[in-house]
PDB file of all heavy atoms in Angstrom:
ATOM      1  N   ILE A 147     -17.603 -16.788  -1.266  1.00  0.00           N
ATOM      2  CA  ILE A 147     -18.836 -16.012  -1.154  1.00  0.00           C
ATOM      3  C   ILE A 147     -20.055 -16.934  -1.180  1.00  0.00           C
ATOM      4  O   ILE A 147     -20.969 -16.775  -0.381  1.00  0.00           O
ATOM      5  CB  ILE A 147     -18.904 -14.943  -2.266  1.00  0.00           C
ATOM      6  CG1 ILE A 147     -17.806 -13.905  -2.009  1.00  0.00           C
ATOM      7  CG2 ILE A 147     -20.280 -14.300  -2.326  1.00  0.00           C
ATOM      8  CD1 ILE A 147     -17.605 -12.901  -3.111  1.00  0.00           C
ATOM      9  N   ALA A 148     -20.048 -17.930  -2.057  1.00  0.00           N
ATOM     10  CA  ALA A 148     -21.214 -18.809  -2.214  1.00  0.00           C
ATOM     11  C   ALA A 148     -21.514 -19.604  -0.945  1.00  0.00           C
ATOM     12  O   ALA A 148     -22.668 -19.712  -0.534  1.00  0.00           O
ATOM     13  CB  ALA A 148     -21.013 -19.756  -3.393  1.00  0.00           C
ATOM     14  N   THR A 149     -20.484 -20.145  -0.310  1.00  0.00           N
ATOM     15  CA  THR A 149     -20.701 -21.003   0.864  1.00  0.00           C
ATOM     16  C   THR A 149     -20.530 -20.256   2.186  1.00  0.00           C
ATOM     17  O   THR A 149     -20.844 -20.796   3.246  1.00  0.00           O
ATOM     18  CB  THR A 149     -19.717 -22.188   0.845  1.00  0.00           C
ATOM     19  OG1 THR A 149     -18.380 -21.665   0.950  1.00  0.00           O
ATOM     20  CG2 THR A 149     -19.871 -23.023  -0.399  1.00  0.00           C
ATOM     21  N   LYS A 150     -20.013 -19.034   2.113  1.00  0.00           N
ATOM     22  CA  LYS A 150     -19.754 -18.222   3.305  1.00  0.00           C
ATOM     23  C   LYS A 150     -18.807 -18.915   4.289  1.00  0.00           C
ATOM     24  O   LYS A 150     -18.906 -18.729   5.498  1.00  0.00           O
ATOM     25  CB  LYS A 150     -21.057 -17.819   3.986  1.00  0.00           C
ATOM     26  CG  LYS A 150     -21.915 -16.959   3.103  1.00  0.00           C
ATOM     27  CD  LYS A 150     -23.164 -16.503   3.797  1.00  0.00           C
ATOM     28  CE  LYS A 150     -23.929 -15.644   2.801  1.00  0.00           C
ATOM     29  NZ  LYS A 150     -25.231 -15.252   3.249  1.00  0.00           N
ATOM     30  N   THR A 151     -17.910 -19.730   3.757  1.00  0.00           N
ATOM     31  CA  THR A 151     -16.914 -20.381   4.606  1.00  0.00           C
ATOM     32  C   THR A 151     -15.525 -19.889   4.230  1.00  0.00           C
ATOM     33  O   THR A 151     -15.230 -19.654   3.061  1.00  0.00           O
ATOM     34  CB  THR A 151     -16.955 -21.916   4.481  1.00  0.00           C
ATOM     35  OG1 THR A 151     -16.720 -22.272   3.129  1.00  0.00           O
ATOM     36  CG2 THR A 151     -18.278 -22.474   4.958  1.00  0.00           C
ATOM     37  N   CYS A 152     -14.703 -19.752   5.242  1.00  0.00           N
ATOM     38  CA  CYS A 152     -13.318 -19.336   5.034  1.00  0.00           C
ATOM     39  C   CYS A 152     -12.468 -20.590   5.010  1.00  0.00           C
ATOM     40  O   CYS A 152     -12.458 -21.355   5.969  1.00  0.00           O
ATOM     41  CB  CYS A 152     -12.889 -18.397   6.148  1.00  0.00           C
ATOM     42  SG  CYS A 152     -13.903 -16.914   6.229  1.00  0.00           S
ATOM     43  N   GLN A 153     -11.794 -20.803   3.899  1.00  0.00           N
ATOM     44  CA  GLN A 153     -11.081 -22.057   3.713  1.00  0.00           C
ATOM     45  C   GLN A 153      -9.574 -21.917   3.648  1.00  0.00           C
ATOM     46  O   GLN A 153      -8.868 -22.881   3.849  1.00  0.00           O
ATOM     47  CB  GLN A 153     -11.585 -22.721   2.439  1.00  0.00           C
ATOM     48  CG  GLN A 153     -13.078 -22.797   2.417  1.00  0.00           C
ATOM     49  CD  GLN A 153     -13.600 -24.140   2.002  1.00  0.00           C
ATOM     50  OE1 GLN A 153     -12.874 -24.955   1.487  1.00  0.00           O
ATOM     51  NE2 GLN A 153     -14.857 -24.355   2.241  1.00  0.00           N
ATOM     52  N   GLY A 154      -9.085 -20.718   3.325  1.00  0.00           N
ATOM     53  CA  GLY A 154      -7.645 -20.553   3.186  1.00  0.00           C
ATOM     54  C   GLY A 154      -7.134 -19.348   3.935  1.00  0.00           C
ATOM     55  O   GLY A 154      -7.867 -18.391   4.190  1.00  0.00           O
ATOM     56  N   GLU A 155      -5.864 -19.435   4.298  1.00  0.00           N
ATOM     57  CA  GLU A 155      -5.230 -18.355   5.033  1.00  0.00           C
ATOM     58  C   GLU A 155      -3.809 -18.194   4.511  1.00  0.00           C
ATOM     59  O   GLU A 155      -3.218 -19.154   4.016  1.00  0.00           O
ATOM     60  CB  GLU A 155      -5.220 -18.707   6.527  1.00  0.00           C
ATOM     61  CG  GLU A 155      -4.906 -17.559   7.434  1.00  0.00           C
ATOM     62  CD  GLU A 155      -5.143 -17.932   8.891  1.00  0.00           C
ATOM     63  OE1 GLU A 155      -6.272 -17.728   9.365  1.00  0.00           O
ATOM     64  OE2 GLU A 155      -4.201 -18.443   9.521  1.00  0.00           O
ATOM     65  N   GLY A 156      -3.275 -17.001   4.611  1.00  0.00           N
ATOM     66  CA  GLY A 156      -1.906 -16.753   4.185  1.00  0.00           C
ATOM     67  C   GLY A 156      -1.359 -15.495   4.815  1.00  0.00           C
ATOM     68  O   GLY A 156      -2.091 -14.718   5.440  1.00  0.00           O
ATOM     69  N   LYS A 157      -0.080 -15.290   4.647  1.00  0.00           N
ATOM     70  CA  LYS A 157       0.592 -14.103   5.151  1.00  0.00           C
ATOM     71  C   LYS A 157       0.922 -13.197   3.969  1.00  0.00           C
ATOM     72  O   LYS A 157       0.985 -13.644   2.833  1.00  0.00           O
ATOM     73  CB  LYS A 157       1.869 -14.497   5.900  1.00  0.00           C
ATOM     74  CG  LYS A 157       1.578 -15.312   7.135  1.00  0.00           C
ATOM     75  CD  LYS A 157       2.853 -15.707   7.840  1.00  0.00           C
ATOM     76  CE  LYS A 157       2.502 -16.581   9.048  1.00  0.00           C
ATOM     77  NZ  LYS A 157       3.711 -17.094   9.689  1.00  0.00           N
ATOM     78  N   PHE A 158       1.142 -11.926   4.282  1.00  0.00           N
ATOM     79  CA  PHE A 158       1.476 -10.987   3.206  1.00  0.00           C
ATOM     80  C   PHE A 158       2.444  -9.932   3.701  1.00  0.00           C
ATOM     81  O   PHE A 158       2.511  -9.633   4.898  1.00  0.00           O
ATOM     82  CB  PHE A 158       0.212 -10.339   2.627  1.00  0.00           C
ATOM     83  CG  PHE A 158      -0.551  -9.511   3.604  1.00  0.00           C
ATOM     84  CD1 PHE A 158      -0.305  -8.152   3.724  1.00  0.00           C
ATOM     85  CD2 PHE A 158      -1.522 -10.073   4.411  1.00  0.00           C
ATOM     86  CE1 PHE A 158      -1.016  -7.373   4.632  1.00  0.00           C
ATOM     87  CE2 PHE A 158      -2.235  -9.314   5.325  1.00  0.00           C
ATOM     88  CZ  PHE A 158      -1.979  -7.961   5.434  1.00  0.00           C
TER      89      PHE A 158
END
Side-chain angles (χ1 to χ4, degrees):
I147 293 172
T149 63
K150 297 183 180 173
T151 59
C152 300
Q153 310 226 346
E155 194 170 270
K157 296 179 182 175
F158 63 92

